[in-house]
């Protein structure tokens, strides 16, 4: 079966169905995959590092010994109780994918140790993955896809984590922080922990945007919105460098393309308001431009015209579609789009 709705996933992770013998957690955001895997593992066994109750495997182990997975799933817990077989797949490889799918089907059908749980953590599996198909098809198995966090998910995670340290932010500061957060769950949690320390745990402080200026200024180049602004400002080298740094922090190509699309949309709104008679500065504020970025945005507004944005829009849409194709070189597509935008900006005099 497939568990894709957040409430269903959270309910299952809190209280796993005892009838389920195999769980596949997969997605491009390995931070979310690992986090959910850890949460489920802790519900299944008292100590996830206990070698008597838990077997830790990788695809490398299966490559060296094809029978290893079924052997671990057939073994009994030496201490009594439930046994956990935790398999981490680093890549979607044909032979390993088939081997895992066959073991999952046999285990879900009860052919191996029925008291064992098979927990598989994998990256972004395509629709043709045999392991994914097996987990979705079997009644005693569950497939849990992990999608990139939305802004609301990140905001909720930030609020909950800061509340545990008795610190918080007002709405404007939260929106600013979330906009600059990396989407990869593991990196995001590290940034939240760093922010909590910056705000001093237990202080009860309610941070404002001005309180975050020094903190956010530590790594401004990591923001994809800054990379998009560099591209529309004609600064290709800066945009390319920022995209690559963001990629190292977990911001993939699709997020970069979206950031470029969002910047285009903000420019379009400002130009539309100006055409309707609003002042440029007033229009920038109405479009939600942060005050530190206002000067650069107004510089771009003086160069870009609505017809120029119309010409570049198809390139953004094409890059967005291409990034959603399985196996697409997302990072290269994002950098190529930045090159196209920066080249157009240069021709406009930026």
């Amino acid at each position: 079966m497939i568990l894709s709705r957040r409430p269903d996933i959270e309910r299952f992770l809190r209280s796993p169905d005892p009838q389920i013998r195999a769980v596949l957690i997969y997605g491009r955001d390995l931070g979310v995959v690992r986090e959910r895997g850890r949460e489920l593992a802790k519900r299944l066994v008292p100590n996830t590092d206990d070698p008597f109750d838990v077997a830790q495997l990788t695809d490398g182990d299966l490559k060296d010994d094809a029978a290893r997975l079924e052997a671990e799933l057939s073994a009994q817990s030496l201490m009594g109780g439930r046994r956990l077989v935790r398999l981490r797949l680093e890549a979607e490889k044909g032979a390993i994918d088939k081997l895992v799918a066959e073991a999952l089907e046999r285990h879900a059908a009860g052919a191996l140790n029925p008291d064992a749980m098979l927990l598989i953590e994998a990256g972004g599996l395509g629709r043709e993955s045999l392991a994914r198909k097996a987990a979705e098809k079997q009644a005693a198995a569950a497939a849990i896809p992990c999608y990139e966090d939305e802004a609301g998910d990140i905001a909720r995670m930030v609020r909950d984590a800061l509340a545990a340290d008795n610190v918080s932010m007002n709405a404007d500061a939260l929106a600013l922080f979330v906009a600059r957060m990396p989407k990869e769950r593991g990196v995001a949690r590290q940034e939240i922990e760093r922010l909590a320390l910056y705000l001093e745990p237990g202080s009860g402080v309610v941070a404002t945007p001005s309180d975050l200026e020094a903190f956010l200024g530590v790594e401004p180049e990591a923001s994809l919105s800054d990379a998009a602004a560099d591209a529309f400002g004609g600064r290709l080298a800066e945009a390319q460098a920022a995209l690559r740094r963001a990629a190292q922090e977990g911001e993939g190509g699709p997020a970069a393309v979206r950031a470029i699309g969002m910047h285009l949309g903000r420019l379009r709104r400002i130009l539309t308001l100006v055409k309707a008679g609003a002042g440029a500065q007033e229009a920038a504020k109405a479009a939600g431009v942060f005050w530190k970025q206002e000067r650069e945005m107004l510089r771009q507004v003086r160069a870009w015209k609505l017809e120029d944005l119309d010409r570049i829009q198809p390139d953004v849409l094409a890059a967005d579609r291409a990034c959603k194709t399985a196996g697409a070189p997302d990072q290269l597509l994002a950098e190529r789009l930045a090159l196209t935008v920066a080249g157009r900006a240069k021709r406009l005099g930026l």
Side-chain angles (χ1 to χ4, degrees), residues 26-105:
Y26 69 94
R28 288 190 176 186
D29 190 339
L30 284 175
V32 181
V33 173
R34 299 293 185 240
E35 189 171 293
R36 287 177 170 170
R38 284 193 298 271
E39 185 175 351
L40 180 58
K42 286 189 291 187
R43 301 287 181 181
L44 296 170
V45 292
N47 180 2
T48 58
D49 294 321
D50 187 344
F52 295 107
D53 284 337
V54 181
Q56 305 269 7
L57 302 176
T58 67
D59 42 11
D61 295 320
L62 305 190
K63 183 179 179 182
D64 296 335
D65 183 359
R68 176 80 181 276
L69 180 57
E70 288 205 8
E72 294 289 358
L73 287 170
S74 300
Q76 302 289 322
S77 170
L78 295 179
M79 307 300 292
R82 193 157 202 187
R83 178 171 171 77
L84 173 63
V85 178
R86 195 170 181 183
L87 170 63
R88 289 186 171 180
L89 299 178
E90 299 300 328
E92 187 178 352
K93 300 173 183 175
I96 298 295
D97 185 41
K98 182 179 179 183
L99 187 156
V100 171
E102 291 174 349
L104 189 153
E105 287 179 345

Side-chain angles (χ1 to χ4, degrees), residues 37-267:
R38 284 193 298 271
E39 185 175 351
L40 180 58
K42 286 189 291 187
R43 301 287 181 181
L44 296 170
V45 292
N47 180 2
T48 58
D49 294 321
D50 187 344
F52 295 107
D53 284 337
V54 181
Q56 305 269 7
L57 302 176
T58 67
D59 42 11
D61 295 320
L62 305 190
K63 183 179 179 182
D64 296 335
D65 183 359
R68 176 80 181 276
L69 180 57
E70 288 205 8
E72 294 289 358
L73 287 170
S74 300
Q76 302 289 322
S77 170
L78 295 179
M79 307 300 292
R82 193 157 202 187
R83 178 171 171 77
L84 173 63
V85 178
R86 195 170 181 183
L87 170 63
R88 289 186 171 180
L89 299 178
E90 299 300 328
E92 187 178 352
K93 300 173 183 175
I96 298 295
D97 185 41
K98 182 179 179 183
L99 187 156
V100 171
E102 291 174 349
L104 189 153
E105 287 179 345
R106 280 173 48 75
H107 184 53
L112 307 175
N113 176 11
D115 290 327
M117 167 65 87
L118 170 60
L119 172 57
I120 306 168
E121 300 170 29
L125 300 179
R127 293 182 179 179
E128 298 307 310
S129 165
L130 297 177
R132 175 177 165 180
K133 287 181 179 179
E136 293 174 348
K137 181 177 64 176
Q138 297 295 319
I144 302 178
C146 297
Y147 302 110
E148 186 178 82
D149 284 324
E150 300 292 339
D153 301 321
I154 297 174
R156 182 166 47 251
M157 184 168 64
V158 172
R159 283 194 300 266
D160 293 346
L162 293 184
D165 284 317
N166 193 28
V167 293
S168 62
M169 294 185 281
N170 67 18
D172 290 339
L174 180 61
L176 174 61
F177 182 68
V178 169
R180 296 289 294 272
M181 281 278 282
K183 299 298 186 298
E184 202 279 322
R185 179 73 70 89
V187 180
R189 285 221 178 267
Q190 292 174 9
E191 283 299 290
I192 297 170
E193 291 171 4
R194 198 162 66 89
L195 175 63
L197 290 174
Y198 176 78
L199 296 177
E200 298 183 7
S203 65
V205 67
V206 180
T208 65
S210 61
D211 295 325
L212 299 184
E213 284 183 17
F215 179 84
L216 293 176
V218 174
E219 296 175 349
E221 69 278 5
S223 170
L224 286 178
S225 62
D226 288 349
D230 284 332
F232 277 91
R235 297 182 295 274
L236 174 61
E238 291 87 341
Q240 189 176 53
L243 286 175
R244 290 179 179 177
R245 280 189 290 267
Q248 291 174 352
E249 296 178 359
E251 296 279 12
V257 172
R258 279 199 301 276
I260 291 173
M262 288 173 63
H263 192 91
L264 185 150
R266 192 169 286 120
L267 268 176

